[in-house]
Amino acid sequence: MLDIQLLRSDLAAVAKRLADRGFTLDAAAFEALEAERKKVQTDTQELQAKRNALSKQIGQMKAKKEDASALMAEVNAQAEQLKALEQQLADVQQRLNEYLMVIPNLPQASVPFGKSADDNPEVRRVGEPRQFDFTVKDHVDAGAALGGLDFDTAGKIAGARFSVLKGGVARLHRAIAQCMLDTHTSEHGYTEVYAPYMVSGDCANGVSSLAKFKEDLFKIEGRDLYLIPTAEYPVTNFVRNQILTFKELPLKFACHSPCFRSEAGSYGKDTRGMIRQHQFDKVELVQIVTPENSGAAHEELTAHAETILKKLELPFRTVTLCTGDMGFSSAKTYDIEVWLPGQSAYREISSCSNFEAFQARRMQARYRTAQGKTELLHTINGSGLAVGRTLVAILENYQNADGSVAVPAALQPYMGGLKAIVPMA
């Protein structure tokens, strides 16, 4: 959530920055709400001052043994008026809060202007795509040849956008997640956590806007619970309604979990294979830091995610999302895109975002500085990586002409030394 003082101090500048990311701020609505708040607040303060003066006068009259009954009756009447004004003030404050809750974050000054993914500049490219001397299969056909990817059975169980993994492919999927967790905990200093796969509406609203993105989530019928679209939802909420000490920071968490997304609005997109599914696994990285360290933490977390692709020797590139392609809560985002020879394209495998104080303000997540001042925390998170998409990348990049798929060297210890998955007889 944005700091309301930004809108009060320079509404036009905020509207301009939001327009850069394709959001039209209803400035007139804010001005009307602010005018109402100011009037009610002024009326409340004037009535409180008048009531205090009368109470003081009543005390003086009683001390002199004078009859103060008329003034006491007036004070009692004012109490009812004051109660009504306080309710009006609470109501307008609630409407102001609801107004703020659907406004996206402001992009950092370093975020390039653009309207779509076509305008995302490349930051770096690592590794060269492999040159094949045979016809390349996409992951659907490569996985089916191994007897390890079964979309028909998944469809019979749950419908479209689900998959069943079997045998060596299922084991490879598990090995990928284990390798990621081991790397991030032993080499990058993250604490592994296991978190609920459901969150309350308040928790969902803490990291994003439930009002705007409710249709993207799977809701538990009859309960104020939603299946998590990413472990960012429960893990970031670890610090909700808390005041940490500066000595406790930074907090760095790695969480492996399934993720559930309705994929509302994605009709017709990536209908083949595992790229866009209702259920998939991720290893999520979350950092909770002080404001002065959030920029460096964002760069560090992005590098940690890239490390996995380097270990697996998968070609990738990193791009900066432009203003028109950013997520709701983000102030700056890097997308890491892995090369998929079956599509002859780079596809997203991780988004690493700095939210600055946007989520912390929604969650009231704060820390106490060395000087004793209470300030909002900054939150950073990213996939380190999406497990299913990493599996897709391995199936396509490590396939062989005989239908087998080589196991990357970094994963062989997790596969009992197995060097390749071969087609089932």
PDB file of all heavy atoms in Angstrom, residues 107-131:
ATOM      1  N   PRO A 107       6.750   2.533  -9.417  1.00  0.00           N
ATOM      2  CA  PRO A 107       8.013   1.981  -9.926  1.00  0.00           C
ATOM      3  C   PRO A 107       9.204   2.820  -9.472  1.00  0.00           C
ATOM      4  O   PRO A 107       9.109   4.040  -9.347  1.00  0.00           O
ATOM      5  CB  PRO A 107       7.839   2.055 -11.452  1.00  0.00           C
ATOM      6  CG  PRO A 107       6.815   3.122 -11.671  1.00  0.00           C
ATOM      7  CD  PRO A 107       5.911   3.097 -10.479  1.00  0.00           C
ATOM      8  N   GLN A 108      10.301   2.142  -9.201  1.00  0.00           N
ATOM      9  CA  GLN A 108      11.533   2.860  -8.880  1.00  0.00           C
ATOM     10  C   GLN A 108      11.974   3.697 -10.079  1.00  0.00           C
ATOM     11  O   GLN A 108      11.623   3.409 -11.227  1.00  0.00           O
ATOM     12  CB  GLN A 108      12.647   1.873  -8.517  1.00  0.00           C
ATOM     13  CG  GLN A 108      12.473   1.172  -7.200  1.00  0.00           C
ATOM     14  CD  GLN A 108      13.638   0.246  -6.865  1.00  0.00           C
ATOM     15  OE1 GLN A 108      14.597   0.138  -7.636  1.00  0.00           O
ATOM     16  NE2 GLN A 108      13.555  -0.420  -5.737  1.00  0.00           N
ATOM     17  N   ALA A 109      12.764   4.717  -9.797  1.00  0.00           N
ATOM     18  CA  ALA A 109      13.247   5.600 -10.862  1.00  0.00           C
ATOM     19  C   ALA A 109      14.062   4.845 -11.907  1.00  0.00           C
ATOM     20  O   ALA A 109      14.094   5.231 -13.085  1.00  0.00           O
ATOM     21  CB  ALA A 109      14.082   6.723 -10.259  1.00  0.00           C
ATOM     22  N   SER A 110      14.721   3.736 -11.491  1.00  0.00           N
ATOM     23  CA  SER A 110      15.569   2.972 -12.415  1.00  0.00           C
ATOM     24  C   SER A 110      14.776   2.029 -13.326  1.00  0.00           C
ATOM     25  O   SER A 110      15.347   1.434 -14.245  1.00  0.00           O
ATOM     26  CB  SER A 110      16.590   2.154 -11.621  1.00  0.00           C
ATOM     27  OG  SER A 110      15.930   1.211 -10.777  1.00  0.00           O
ATOM     28  N   VAL A 111      13.478   1.890 -13.091  1.00  0.00           N
ATOM     29  CA  VAL A 111      12.662   0.994 -13.921  1.00  0.00           C
ATOM     30  C   VAL A 111      12.420   1.650 -15.279  1.00  0.00           C
ATOM     31  O   VAL A 111      11.937   2.792 -15.345  1.00  0.00           O
ATOM     32  CB  VAL A 111      11.322   0.683 -13.230  1.00  0.00           C
ATOM     33  CG1 VAL A 111      10.416  -0.128 -14.155  1.00  0.00           C
ATOM     34  CG2 VAL A 111      11.556  -0.066 -11.933  1.00  0.00           C
ATOM     35  N   PRO A 112      12.739   0.952 -16.375  1.00  0.00           N
ATOM     36  CA  PRO A 112      12.557   1.553 -17.704  1.00  0.00           C
ATOM     37  C   PRO A 112      11.079   1.701 -18.065  1.00  0.00           C
ATOM     38  O   PRO A 112      10.258   0.871 -17.693  1.00  0.00           O
ATOM     39  CB  PRO A 112      13.255   0.557 -18.636  1.00  0.00           C
ATOM     40  CG  PRO A 112      13.192  -0.742 -17.911  1.00  0.00           C
ATOM     41  CD  PRO A 112      13.300  -0.399 -16.452  1.00  0.00           C
ATOM     42  N   PHE A 113      10.762   2.767 -18.776  1.00  0.00           N
ATOM     43  CA  PHE A 113       9.385   2.965 -19.231  1.00  0.00           C
ATOM     44  C   PHE A 113       9.089   2.005 -20.376  1.00  0.00           C
ATOM     45  O   PHE A 113       9.920   1.754 -21.234  1.00  0.00           O
ATOM     46  CB  PHE A 113       9.170   4.405 -19.699  1.00  0.00           C
ATOM     47  CG  PHE A 113       7.807   4.633 -20.286  1.00  0.00           C
ATOM     48  CD1 PHE A 113       6.698   4.788 -19.463  1.00  0.00           C
ATOM     49  CD2 PHE A 113       7.624   4.631 -21.664  1.00  0.00           C
ATOM     50  CE1 PHE A 113       5.428   4.980 -20.011  1.00  0.00           C
ATOM     51  CE2 PHE A 113       6.373   4.815 -22.218  1.00  0.00           C
ATOM     52  CZ  PHE A 113       5.264   4.992 -21.387  1.00  0.00           C
ATOM     53  N   GLY A 114       7.876   1.453 -20.367  1.00  0.00           N
ATOM     54  CA  GLY A 114       7.451   0.568 -21.443  1.00  0.00           C
ATOM     55  C   GLY A 114       6.008   0.175 -21.253  1.00  0.00           C
ATOM     56  O   GLY A 114       5.407   0.421 -20.202  1.00  0.00           O
ATOM     57  N   LYS A 115       5.442  -0.445 -22.277  1.00  0.00           N
ATOM     58  CA  LYS A 115       4.022  -0.799 -22.239  1.00  0.00           C
ATOM     59  C   LYS A 115       3.767  -2.298 -22.144  1.00  0.00           C
ATOM     60  O   LYS A 115       2.681  -2.715 -21.748  1.00  0.00           O
ATOM     61  CB  LYS A 115       3.320  -0.239 -23.474  1.00  0.00           C
ATOM     62  CG  LYS A 115       3.302   1.282 -23.508  1.00  0.00           C
ATOM     63  CD  LYS A 115       2.519   1.806 -24.700  1.00  0.00           C
ATOM     64  CE  LYS A 115       2.463   3.320 -24.690  1.00  0.00           C
ATOM     65  NZ  LYS A 115       1.696   3.858 -25.855  1.00  0.00           N
ATOM     66  N   SER A 116       4.748  -3.118 -22.514  1.00  0.00           N
ATOM     67  CA  SER A 116       4.538  -4.564 -22.502  1.00  0.00           C
ATOM     68  C   SER A 116       5.871  -5.277 -22.362  1.00  0.00           C
ATOM     69  O   SER A 116       6.936  -4.643 -22.301  1.00  0.00           O
ATOM     70  CB  SER A 116       3.848  -5.011 -23.796  1.00  0.00           C
ATOM     71  OG  SER A 116       4.749  -4.893 -24.891  1.00  0.00           O
ATOM     72  N   ALA A 117       5.811  -6.621 -22.345  1.00  0.00           N
ATOM     73  CA  ALA A 117       7.024  -7.431 -22.217  1.00  0.00           C
ATOM     74  C   ALA A 117       8.009  -7.173 -23.354  1.00  0.00           C
ATOM     75  O   ALA A 117       9.213  -7.411 -23.206  1.00  0.00           O
ATOM     76  CB  ALA A 117       6.652  -8.908 -22.166  1.00  0.00           C
ATOM     77  N   ASP A 118       7.513  -6.684 -24.483  1.00  0.00           N
ATOM     78  CA  ASP A 118       8.395  -6.377 -25.616  1.00  0.00           C
ATOM     79  C   ASP A 118       9.365  -5.251 -25.295  1.00  0.00           C
ATOM     80  O   ASP A 118      10.375  -5.085 -25.989  1.00  0.00           O
ATOM     81  CB  ASP A 118       7.557  -5.989 -26.843  1.00  0.00           C
ATOM     82  CG  ASP A 118       6.698  -7.143 -27.349  1.00  0.00           C
ATOM     83  OD1 ASP A 118       7.081  -8.307 -27.115  1.00  0.00           O
ATOM     84  OD2 ASP A 118       5.651  -6.866 -27.970  1.00  0.00           O
ATOM     85  N   ASP A 119       9.044  -4.478 -24.257  1.00  0.00           N
ATOM     86  CA  ASP A 119       9.877  -3.328 -23.896  1.00  0.00           C
ATOM     87  C   ASP A 119      10.821  -3.613 -22.727  1.00  0.00           C
ATOM     88  O   ASP A 119      11.446  -2.691 -22.199  1.00  0.00           O
ATOM     89  CB  ASP A 119       8.984  -2.133 -23.540  1.00  0.00           C
ATOM     90  CG  ASP A 119       8.082  -1.719 -24.682  1.00  0.00           C
ATOM     91  OD1 ASP A 119       8.569  -1.705 -25.833  1.00  0.00           O
ATOM     92  OD2 ASP A 119       6.891  -1.426 -24.444  1.00  0.00           O
ATOM     93  N   ASN A 120      10.932  -4.887 -22.313  1.00  0.00           N
ATOM     94  CA  ASN A 120      11.805  -5.245 -21.191  1.00  0.00           C
ATOM     95  C   ASN A 120      13.254  -5.356 -21.659  1.00  0.00           C
ATOM     96  O   ASN A 120      13.578  -6.221 -22.478  1.00  0.00           O
ATOM     97  CB  ASN A 120      11.380  -6.580 -20.577  1.00  0.00           C
ATOM     98  CG  ASN A 120      10.010  -6.513 -19.942  1.00  0.00           C
ATOM     99  OD1 ASN A 120       9.525  -5.445 -19.590  1.00  0.00           O
ATOM    100  ND2 ASN A 120       9.362  -7.664 -19.795  1.00  0.00           N
ATOM    101  N   PRO A 121      14.152  -4.509 -21.170  1.00  0.00           N
ATOM    102  CA  PRO A 121      15.550  -4.579 -21.610  1.00  0.00           C
ATOM    103  C   PRO A 121      16.296  -5.755 -20.974  1.00  0.00           C
ATOM    104  O   PRO A 121      16.056  -6.102 -19.817  1.00  0.00           O
ATOM    105  CB  PRO A 121      16.133  -3.251 -21.134  1.00  0.00           C
ATOM    106  CG  PRO A 121      15.292  -2.863 -19.961  1.00  0.00           C
ATOM    107  CD  PRO A 121      13.915  -3.385 -20.244  1.00  0.00           C
ATOM    108  N   GLU A 122      17.186  -6.334 -21.736  1.00  0.00           N
ATOM    109  CA  GLU A 122      17.999  -7.443 -21.242  1.00  0.00           C
ATOM    110  C   GLU A 122      19.149  -6.902 -20.402  1.00  0.00           C
ATOM    111  O   GLU A 122      19.850  -5.971 -20.805  1.00  0.00           O
ATOM    112  CB  GLU A 122      18.528  -8.254 -22.415  1.00  0.00           C
ATOM    113  CG  GLU A 122      19.261  -9.514 -22.027  1.00  0.00           C
ATOM    114  CD  GLU A 122      19.641 -10.357 -23.228  1.00  0.00           C
ATOM    115  OE1 GLU A 122      18.722 -10.766 -23.984  1.00  0.00           O
ATOM    116  OE2 GLU A 122      20.851 -10.580 -23.423  1.00  0.00           O
ATOM    117  N   VAL A 123      19.346  -7.510 -19.235  1.00  0.00           N
ATOM    118  CA  VAL A 123      20.422  -7.109 -18.333  1.00  0.00           C
ATOM    119  C   VAL A 123      21.675  -7.926 -18.611  1.00  0.00           C
ATOM    120  O   VAL A 123      22.788  -7.392 -18.690  1.00  0.00           O
ATOM    121  CB  VAL A 123      19.995  -7.283 -16.858  1.00  0.00           C
ATOM    122  CG1 VAL A 123      21.133  -6.914 -15.913  1.00  0.00           C
ATOM    123  CG2 VAL A 123      18.757  -6.460 -16.557  1.00  0.00           C
ATOM    124  N   ARG A 124      21.503  -9.233 -18.765  1.00  0.00           N
ATOM    125  CA  ARG A 124      22.632 -10.121 -19.048  1.00  0.00           C
ATOM    126  C   ARG A 124      22.116 -11.419 -19.650  1.00  0.00           C
ATOM    127  O   ARG A 124      20.954 -11.791 -19.490  1.00  0.00           O
ATOM    128  CB  ARG A 124      23.445 -10.415 -17.783  1.00  0.00           C
ATOM    129  CG  ARG A 124      22.632 -10.933 -16.622  1.00  0.00           C
ATOM    130  CD  ARG A 124      23.447 -11.033 -15.339  1.00  0.00           C
ATOM    131  NE  ARG A 124      22.551 -11.098 -14.170  1.00  0.00           N
ATOM    132  CZ  ARG A 124      22.162 -10.057 -13.480  1.00  0.00           C
ATOM    133  NH1 ARG A 124      22.566  -8.843 -13.809  1.00  0.00           N
ATOM    134  NH2 ARG A 124      21.350 -10.190 -12.438  1.00  0.00           N
ATOM    135  N   ARG A 125      23.029 -12.112 -20.326  1.00  0.00           N
ATOM    136  CA  ARG A 125      22.717 -13.409 -20.929  1.00  0.00           C
ATOM    137  C   ARG A 125      23.854 -14.350 -20.566  1.00  0.00           C
ATOM    138  O   ARG A 125      25.033 -14.009 -20.715  1.00  0.00           O
ATOM    139  CB  ARG A 125      22.584 -13.256 -22.438  1.00  0.00           C
ATOM    140  CG  ARG A 125      22.085 -14.499 -23.147  1.00  0.00           C
ATOM    141  CD  ARG A 125      21.882 -14.238 -24.633  1.00  0.00           C
ATOM    142  NE  ARG A 125      20.802 -13.279 -24.885  1.00  0.00           N
ATOM    143  CZ  ARG A 125      20.017 -13.335 -25.951  1.00  0.00           C
ATOM    144  NH1 ARG A 125      20.176 -14.297 -26.846  1.00  0.00           N
ATOM    145  NH2 ARG A 125      19.078 -12.423 -26.134  1.00  0.00           N
ATOM    146  N   VAL A 126      23.507 -15.538 -20.085  1.00  0.00           N
ATOM    147  CA  VAL A 126      24.513 -16.502 -19.624  1.00  0.00           C
ATOM    148  C   VAL A 126      24.306 -17.829 -20.352  1.00  0.00           C
ATOM    149  O   VAL A 126      23.197 -18.376 -20.359  1.00  0.00           O
ATOM    150  CB  VAL A 126      24.420 -16.719 -18.098  1.00  0.00           C
ATOM    151  CG1 VAL A 126      25.418 -17.783 -17.642  1.00  0.00           C
ATOM    152  CG2 VAL A 126      24.636 -15.406 -17.355  1.00  0.00           C
ATOM    153  N   GLY A 127      25.372 -18.357 -20.931  1.00  0.00           N
ATOM    154  CA  GLY A 127      25.301 -19.649 -21.603  1.00  0.00           C
ATOM    155  C   GLY A 127      24.818 -19.535 -23.037  1.00  0.00           C
ATOM    156  O   GLY A 127      24.055 -18.640 -23.389  1.00  0.00           O
ATOM    157  N   GLU A 128      25.275 -20.455 -23.857  1.00  0.00           N
ATOM    158  CA  GLU A 128      24.859 -20.503 -25.259  1.00  0.00           C
ATOM    159  C   GLU A 128      23.913 -21.669 -25.486  1.00  0.00           C
ATOM    160  O   GLU A 128      24.165 -22.776 -25.015  1.00  0.00           O
ATOM    161  CB  GLU A 128      26.087 -20.669 -26.163  1.00  0.00           C
ATOM    162  CG  GLU A 128      26.985 -19.442 -26.214  1.00  0.00           C
ATOM    163  CD  GLU A 128      26.301 -18.247 -26.854  1.00  0.00           C
ATOM    164  OE1 GLU A 128      25.473 -18.459 -27.777  1.00  0.00           O
ATOM    165  OE2 GLU A 128      26.563 -17.115 -26.425  1.00  0.00           O
ATOM    166  N   PRO A 129      22.814 -21.446 -26.211  1.00  0.00           N
ATOM    167  CA  PRO A 129      21.899 -22.557 -26.515  1.00  0.00           C
ATOM    168  C   PRO A 129      22.627 -23.679 -27.249  1.00  0.00           C
ATOM    169  O   PRO A 129      23.464 -23.426 -28.124  1.00  0.00           O
ATOM    170  CB  PRO A 129      20.837 -21.906 -27.401  1.00  0.00           C
ATOM    171  CG  PRO A 129      20.839 -20.466 -26.992  1.00  0.00           C
ATOM    172  CD  PRO A 129      22.279 -20.154 -26.682  1.00  0.00           C
ATOM    173  N   ARG A 130      22.303 -24.889 -26.876  1.00  0.00           N
ATOM    174  CA  ARG A 130      22.926 -26.076 -27.479  1.00  0.00           C
ATOM    175  C   ARG A 130      22.479 -26.218 -28.940  1.00  0.00           C
ATOM    176  O   ARG A 130      21.322 -25.961 -29.278  1.00  0.00           O
ATOM    177  CB  ARG A 130      22.509 -27.305 -26.667  1.00  0.00           C
ATOM    178  CG  ARG A 130      22.938 -28.640 -27.239  1.00  0.00           C
ATOM    179  CD  ARG A 130      22.364 -29.761 -26.392  1.00  0.00           C
ATOM    180  NE  ARG A 130      22.485 -31.064 -27.037  1.00  0.00           N
ATOM    181  CZ  ARG A 130      21.877 -32.162 -26.609  1.00  0.00           C
ATOM    182  NH1 ARG A 130      21.115 -32.109 -25.514  1.00  0.00           N
ATOM    183  NH2 ARG A 130      22.015 -33.310 -27.253  1.00  0.00           N
ATOM    184  N   GLN A 131      23.419 -26.614 -29.782  1.00  0.00           N
ATOM    185  CA  GLN A 131      23.102 -26.901 -31.186  1.00  0.00           C
ATOM    186  C   GLN A 131      22.822 -28.395 -31.340  1.00  0.00           C
ATOM    187  O   GLN A 131      23.683 -29.225 -31.046  1.00  0.00           O
ATOM    188  CB  GLN A 131      24.276 -26.482 -32.080  1.00  0.00           C
ATOM    189  CG  GLN A 131      24.613 -24.997 -32.006  1.00  0.00           C
ATOM    190  CD  GLN A 131      23.445 -24.121 -32.399  1.00  0.00           C
ATOM    191  OE1 GLN A 131      22.828 -24.317 -33.445  1.00  0.00           O
ATOM    192  NE2 GLN A 131      23.131 -23.134 -31.550  1.00  0.00           N
TER     193      GLN A 131
END
